[in-house]
């Protein structure tokens, strides 16, 4: 697996290049903000017709991460679906695919602001998941520590020798990790945005996703 190792509250974690988080000691894989069904939701609300492949592409990458890690537990950190209706109208082939991924594993759906209620796709539905020394929730809460969250879709811009690049990234400090969006059709919030600068400590770092994940000081 291509990943970057770090620790939070004594737990050793690996930020994978795909945007997933791996906790090897617990055989636990975390993904955030899949936004499955986004194409259908945009079209339903009168938006432009987009190539309808985002759910399939996201599930392919998730399956690859599950095969690579052999995870026993999967935690989806909220906004797994673009809205409740997108979850309800997910094609049967995709519903069966998710069921196959869930087979033999503990699967936890954390409630997000896009999908606040239970969905009929198996697994357990929770507002948050405490698994000491960590807690998994959708949106970061100030004053907390040992927290893994998503919601903001953080991305960073870095300068290479040849050009400037912008990529999804994990934001990490001594209190929390804010994970990048895992879904294919998801935008992002720059790490220099005031809300992220307020949540993250001055010494925070970022791990840039991609073929070779690397850690840099969090751009502000």
């Amino acid at each position: 697996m291509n990943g970057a190792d770090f620790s939070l509250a004594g737990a050793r974690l690996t930020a994978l290049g795909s945007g997933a988080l791996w906790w090897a000691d617990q055989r636990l894989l975390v993904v955030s903000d899949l936004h499955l069904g986004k194409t259908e939701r945009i079209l339903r609300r009168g938006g432009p017709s987009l190539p309808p492949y985002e759910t399939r592409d996201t599930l392919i990458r998730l399956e690859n991460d599950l095969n690579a890690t052999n995870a026993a537990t999967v935690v989806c950190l909220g906004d797994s679906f673009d809205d409740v209706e997108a979850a309800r109208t997910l094609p049967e082939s995709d519903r069966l695919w998710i069921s196959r991924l869930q087979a033999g594993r503990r699967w936890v759906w954390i409630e997000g602001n896009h999908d606040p209620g239970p969905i009929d796709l198996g697994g357990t539905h929770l507002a948050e998941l405490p698994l000491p020394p960590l807690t998994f929730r959708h949106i970061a809460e100030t004053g907390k520590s040992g927290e893994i969250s998503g919601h903001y879709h953080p991305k960073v811009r870095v300068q290479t020798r040849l050009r400037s690049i912008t990529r999804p990234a994990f934001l990490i400090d001594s209190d929390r990790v804010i994970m990048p969006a895992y879904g294919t059709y998801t935008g992002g919030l720059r790490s220099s945005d005031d809300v992220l600068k307020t949540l993250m400590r001055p010494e925070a770092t970022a791990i840039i996703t991609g073929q070779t994940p690397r850690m840099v000081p969090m751009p502000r």
Side-chain angles (χ1 to χ4, degrees):
M1 291 184 294
N2 58 333
D5 298 331
F6 66 97
S7 295
L8 177 69
R12 292 191 54 79
L13 307 170
T14 302
L16 303 182
S18 64
L21 184 69
W22 175 235
W23 187 1
D25 288 346
Q26 297 289 333
R27 292 182 57 205
L28 184 147
L29 186 76
V30 191
V31 291
S32 188
D33 296 273
L34 305 179
H35 285 273
L36 301 175
K38 186 166 187 174
T39 298
E40 184 275 333
R41 193 269 301 170
I42 291 174
L43 189 62
R44 174 172 17 102
R45 297 189 179 184
S49 179
L50 299 173
Y53 306 123
E54 101 284 350
T55 294
R56 183 176 184 84
D57 183 74
T58 300
L59 292 178
I60 286 172
R61 291 185 291 106
L62 179 55
E63 184 168 15
N64 288 340
D65 279 339
L66 290 173
N67 288 338
T69 60
N70 192 28
T73 300
V74 175
V75 177
C76 298
L77 274 185
D79 287 1
S80 300
F81 300 88
D82 214 47
D83 63 10
V84 174
E85 183 67 10
R88 190 187 68 81
T89 59
L90 201 66
E92 185 63 19
S93 59
D94 293 336
R95 297 173 71 89
L96 290 173
W97 194 346
I98 292 171
S99 294
R100 289 196 300 271
L101 298 182
Q102 291 175 328
R105 297 184 168 95
R106 181 189 184 195
W107 196 284
V108 180
W109 303 102
I110 299 295
E111 296 173 2
N113 55 295
H114 279 249
D115 49 6
I119 48 179
D120 184 23
L121 280 169
T124 303
H125 301 79
L126 299 173
E128 60 181 48
L129 173 65
L131 196 58
L134 304 180
T135 299
F136 301 87
R137 60 172 57 95
H138 181 56
I139 303 177
E141 297 182 4
T142 57
K144 304 295 185 179
S145 61
E147 177 187 77
I148 310 287
S149 66
H151 179 64
Y152 292 106
H153 304 196
K155 62 181 181 179
V156 301
R157 183 178 180 180
V158 294
Q159 185 68 43
T160 69
R161 289 190 305 163
L162 301 177
R163 61 190 175 96
S164 175
I165 61 171
T166 301
R167 285 184 180 167
F170 298 81
L171 304 183
I172 302 164
D173 65 16
S174 57
D175 290 326
R176 64 175 44 87
V177 176
I178 300 179
M179 291 186 54
Y182 195 85
T184 296
Y185 283 171
T186 49
L189 186 66
R190 291 190 184 276
S191 61
S192 56
D193 189 272
D194 285 344
V195 67
L196 293 176
K197 289 194 295 184
T198 299
L199 281 168
M200 305 305 295
R201 291 180 176 273
E203 68 274 14
T205 58
I207 296 179
I208 302 168
T209 60
Q211 188 64 35
T212 307
R214 64 188 184 100
M215 186 177 289
V216 299
M218 173 179 148
R220 294 177 177 271

